Amino acid sequence: QAARKSFEHFFQGPEAKLRPDVISYSTMITSVLKKMSYEGLKEARKFYEEMKYQRRISPDNGLVDIILKGVIVSGQNDSLLAADVRFVAGVLRDAEKLEWGEGQLERRKRAVQTIMTGRMAGTWKEESDLYGLTSVDAYEDQLFKKHGWNKVDSGFRLWGADLRRGSSRRPERDDFLQSKGWNNVDSGFRII
């Protein structure tokens, strides 16, 4: 609360005495993200948008890290909204314009991807595709790739449906399952 009042006193309104910079906004965003709540994330988004669109201040690597860490922590504790997903996608898009050490940005993207695919899979896929943040190979672990483990198909199909992308054919019946009469098992489980 005190940080917000100081920020408003020095940087906003008719009596503003100074011009804020990326460090000023980083300080405020850090302050509101410490709440580790939906409200804190909402305020951080508001400050970030004000910084970029009203003040025309670009983020730096430190601010990107602050925001990504805040979103990851919030994503582990609370549900994220579609607006949060769009916010993170925009921050990652801005991060691509910055200079990073080899593999640093990719590690950050993988960390965000882990949270987003668990909590907001559909919205994250839409936003990341829209902004070109992911590709099929973007998040493959190199060790898995080396051994061909990223391409493993367990053969497991939910409710007998072939859920592979682009598949429109009816699934084949498994001879073993057929011999046991298990191809048409109705578990009684229903999704409401």
Side-chain angles (χ1 to χ4, degrees):
Q1 194 76 317
R4 174 182 283 287
K5 286 184 181 183
S6 295
F7 188 86
E8 289 171 356
H9 175 75
F10 286 105
F11 301 120
Q12 297 174 333
E15 297 176 20
K17 296 165 183 30
L18 303 170
R19 286 184 44 108
D21 59 9
V22 70
I23 296 170
S24 309
Y25 279 100
S26 296
T27 303
M28 279 308 301
I29 290 172
T30 300
S31 171
V32 297
L33 285 175
K34 284 186 179 182
K35 293 178 184 178
M36 288 190 261
S37 67
Y38 165 72
E39 283 302 316
L41 199 53
K42 183 178 173 183
E43 287 182 60
R45 192 170 56 241
K46 183 177 156 196
F47 277 116
Y48 188 81
E49 290 169 357
E50 176 185 315
M51 177 190 81
K52 273 191 65 181
Y53 302 116
Q54 292 177 8
R55 301 286 186 160
R56 306 273 189 233
I57 299 171
S58 297
D60 63 2
N61 297 42
L63 179 56
V64 169
D65 281 344
I66 289 166
I67 292 169
L68 295 181
K69 182 180 178 186
V71 169
I72 288 169
V73 170
S74 292
Q76 291 171 338
N77 297 330
D78 294 325
S79 294
L80 297 171
L81 302 175
D84 301 326
V85 173
R86 282 189 291 280
F87 174 50
V88 172
V91 170
L92 286 173
R93 192 178 62 240
D94 292 340
E96 290 176 342
K97 299 172 189 170
L98 302 172
E99 290 187 34
W100 296 90
E102 186 176 330
Q104 289 182 352
L105 182 58
E106 289 73 25
R107 282 195 300 271
R108 285 157 176 80
K109 285 182 177 182
R110 267 195 305 274
V112 170
Q113 179 83 7
T114 301
I115 293 297
M116 294 299 178
T117 55
R119 298 288 184 144
M120 298 291 294
T123 306
W124 174 250
K125 172 122 179 61
E126 289 171 15
E127 294 299 321
S128 61
D129 288 348
L130 176 67
Y131 292 122
L133 295 172
T134 59
S135 68
V136 174
D137 297 327
Y139 299 106
E140 284 188 330
D141 185 289
Q142 293 305 310
L143 178 64
F144 279 44
K145 188 174 184 177
K146 177 181 172 184
H147 294 286
W149 295 338
N150 284 329
K151 305 280 189 235
V152 173
D153 180 1
S154 69
F156 179 74
R157 304 288 178 260
L158 290 175
W159 299 288
D162 190 348
L163 297 178
R164 288 178 287 202
R165 256 188 267 168
S167 178
S168 61
R169 65 179 178 82
R170 295 278 303 158
E172 297 174 13
R173 296 204 179 261
D174 183 282
D175 291 334
F176 175 76
L177 294 176
Q178 185 66 32
S179 72
K180 302 293 183 188
W182 294 343
N183 274 328
N184 295 322
V185 173
D186 180 3
S187 69
F189 178 75
R190 301 289 181 265
I191 297 176
I192 299 177

